[in-house]
């Protein structure tokens, strides 16, 4: 029997070593990704990939902050891909899933989606960021015009950051 999403969340919380910001962020991204993915009609297999990717998308941030003083997106993508493989090594998540998750983590700051799963992850991460940081909130209109594509992602973006303001 496969590890549940909740068991992976617990593993990622442990990995986060009590960093409340990181934990709250990946939980928000996961919640948005699950919502957008399910409403968009991803099949069960792709939905699991999206959810796993959302949980671990920022896995490299704690290692990057001491080096750069922040976590540059390109470095997150680069380092994150490898860290994802290590993170899942002692789990029963199959190799194909791990490779797909690593691919998505390696693209989560690249705004040229290569798949619906990638699109869902981009939208979910942006929604979470916009709720945490005003610089993202200010980008909402541009993101609506240039990046968001799913009906649910657009609806959430508009209702949370465009219509109400």
């Amino acid at each position: 029997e496969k590890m549940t999403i909740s068991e992976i969340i617990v593993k990622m919380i442990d990995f986060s070593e009590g960093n409340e910001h990181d934990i709250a962020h990946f939980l928000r991204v996961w919640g948005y990704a699950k919502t957008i993915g399910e409403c968009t009609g991803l099949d069960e297999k792709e939905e699991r990939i999206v959810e796993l990717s959302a949980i671990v998308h920022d896995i490299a941030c704690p290692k990057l902050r001491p080096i750069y003083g922040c976590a540059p997106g390109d470095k997150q993508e680069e380092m994150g891909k490898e860290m994802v493989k290590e993170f899942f090594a002692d789990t029963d998540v199959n190799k194909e899933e791990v490779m797909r998750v690593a691919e998505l983590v390696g693209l989560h700051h690249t705004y040229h989606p290569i798949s619906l799963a990638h699109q869902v992850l981009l939208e979910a991460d942006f929604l979470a960021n916009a709720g945490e940081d005003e610089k993202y909130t200010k980008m909402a209109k541009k993101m609506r015009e240039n990046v968001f594509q799913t009906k649910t992602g657009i609806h959430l973006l508009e209702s949370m950051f465009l219509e109400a303001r």
Side-chain angles (χ1 to χ4, degrees):
E1 189 171 300
K2 282 187 176 183
M3 280 183 86
T4 66
I5 293 294
S6 295
E7 289 169 325
I8 300 294
I9 287 171
V10 170
K11 181 175 172 59
M12 189 63 189
I13 288 171
D14 291 345
F15 182 87
S16 299
E17 298 178 341
N19 184 317
E20 286 184 41
H21 174 270
D22 287 355
I23 294 165
H25 176 73
F26 87 71
L27 287 171
R28 260 193 301 279
V29 175
W30 168 70
Y32 290 131
K34 179 174 177 55
T35 301
I36 296 166
E38 287 180 358
C39 290
T40 303
L42 288 180
D43 66 33
E44 204 174 298
K45 191 175 169 189
E46 281 297 282
E47 181 64 32
R48 182 171 167 83
I49 296 295
V50 165
E51 290 187 41
L52 292 172
S53 300
I55 294 163
V56 300
H57 76 283
D58 278 347
I59 195 166
C61 290
K63 284 211 181 337
L64 292 169
R65 288 186 198 114
I67 300 167
Y68 298 98
C70 62
D74 61 330
K75 301 295 184 195
Q76 284 182 45
E77 290 180 335
E78 189 181 309
M79 184 182 279
K81 277 196 298 199
E82 295 311 310
M83 290 182 70
V84 162
K85 295 170 191 168
E86 294 167 28
F87 179 84
F88 286 109
D90 67 346
T91 72
D92 63 355
V93 177
N94 72 49
K95 188 172 173 61
E96 180 191 334
E97 286 178 318
V98 172
M99 297 312 286
R100 285 287 321 281
V101 170
E103 175 187 40
L104 290 175
V105 169
L107 293 168
H108 83 277
H109 281 279
T110 302
Y111 287 143
H112 306 290
I114 60 159
S115 66
L116 183 54
H118 182 195
Q119 182 68 40
V120 170
L121 181 61
L122 285 176
E123 292 179 10
D125 193 25
F126 184 83
L127 289 167
N129 285 330
E132 297 166 12
D133 186 335
E134 204 172 293
K135 84 175 179 200
Y136 290 97
T137 311
K138 290 177 180 172
M139 295 168 52
K141 191 172 187 300
K142 221 176 206 112
M143 291 296 285
R144 164 64 182 94
E145 292 165 5
N146 300 316
V147 177
F148 275 60
Q149 295 175 15
T150 71
K151 185 177 176 186
T152 304
I154 290 167
H155 176 83
L156 294 174
L157 182 70
E158 289 177 349
S159 68
M160 293 166 64
F161 302 107
L162 295 172
E163 292 170 3
R165 295 174 188 273

